Amino acid sequence: MDTNRSGKLNAGEFFDAMRTMEANPAGLTERRAFVFQAEALSESFRQTRDALQGSQQETTRQAKELAAELNAQLETIASLDKKIQQHVGVSGPFDLIDRRDQLANEGAEKIAVRIVPRDDGTINLTTLSGAALVENGIARKIEVLDSTANPGDVEVHINNGSSTTRRILDAEVGGRLGGIV
């Protein structure tokens, strides 16, 4: 009998102990071996559960951190668009446009977006389904929320500036954030 309780015992050892006990149910040694293997298997399950919960918490933390970075970029893009719009007709706010475009491309690495140029030199940033992330100099917030349908999972939502949010379907999230969730 292996006395290692590291959680690396396999279910086969449990079933072996059970079969041995079935062959001699009155045997004290067999019953002790069975109880030991049952406790070891139970501990293995607890350790696996704890490891999965830890991974899940780390994934959620990473998703929320990435959403916060993305929100800061969306705010900056909206701010730059307002400045660009003020310079319409003036010879080139090219440095603002370059910075905004760089941030939009960096944002596209974090989440799948469409960059839609507008006639006034500004852009709209939308999800693949068309939900606005940046529109008319206004940035919407990306939120990572606990799933109501699948406890322990998270979902990506757009906060429309009120108490309502719109879920971005997992298949549409894309980018690094989509890889995390």
Side-chain angles (χ1 to χ4, degrees):
M1 171 174 59
D2 184 358
T3 59
N4 178 7
R5 290 200 177 226
S6 67
K8 297 188 189 230
L9 294 174
N10 64 36
E13 293 176 11
F14 167 78
F15 289 111
D16 288 345
M18 183 172 63
R19 280 189 289 278
T20 302
M21 187 182 71
E22 284 176 338
N24 183 16
L28 185 59
T29 303
E30 290 82 357
R31 285 188 282 165
R32 284 184 181 160
F34 174 73
V35 169
F36 176 83
Q37 291 299 336
E39 289 173 348
L41 187 59
S42 177
E43 179 61 24
S44 177
F45 286 142
R46 273 192 291 279
Q47 288 178 3
T48 300
R49 180 204 60 211
D50 292 347
L52 287 171
Q53 285 177 339
S55 293
Q56 196 171 38
Q57 290 169 350
E58 177 61 17
T59 298
T60 299
R61 185 198 63 75
Q62 288 176 4
K64 288 183 178 191
E65 184 177 288
L66 192 60
E69 290 173 21
L70 182 57
N71 286 331
Q73 287 177 314
L74 295 175
E75 284 292 335
T76 304
I77 291 168
S79 174
L80 289 168
D81 258 359
K82 286 178 184 177
K83 292 175 184 174
I84 291 166
Q85 196 172 33
Q86 292 171 355
H87 288 89
V88 172
V90 178
S91 143
F94 298 115
D95 58 332
L96 298 176
I97 292 171
D98 288 345
R99 177 73 181 127
R100 185 223 33 223
D101 291 349
Q102 177 186 3
L103 286 170
N105 288 327
E106 289 173 9
E109 293 174 6
K110 291 180 174 78
I111 189 171
V113 296
R114 286 195 178 105
I115 301 171
V116 183
R118 296 181 37 164
D119 292 339
D120 62 0
T122 63
I123 61 170
N124 285 343
L125 229 61
T126 67
T127 65
L128 297 181
S129 63
L133 296 172
V134 175
E135 184 177 49
N136 297 322
I138 299 171
R140 307 302 190 296
K141 296 269 187 225
I142 297 291
E143 295 181 353
V144 176
L145 304 173
D146 292 329
S147 172
T148 54
N150 299 311
D153 286 351
V154 293
E155 301 171 343
V156 179
H157 290 250
I158 300 172
N159 185 321
N160 296 319
S162 62
S163 60
T164 62
T165 64
R166 175 180 175 188
R167 179 174 181 216
I168 304 173
L169 298 177
D170 293 346
E172 297 175 349
V173 175
R176 287 179 36 215
L177 187 57
I180 292 172
V181 297

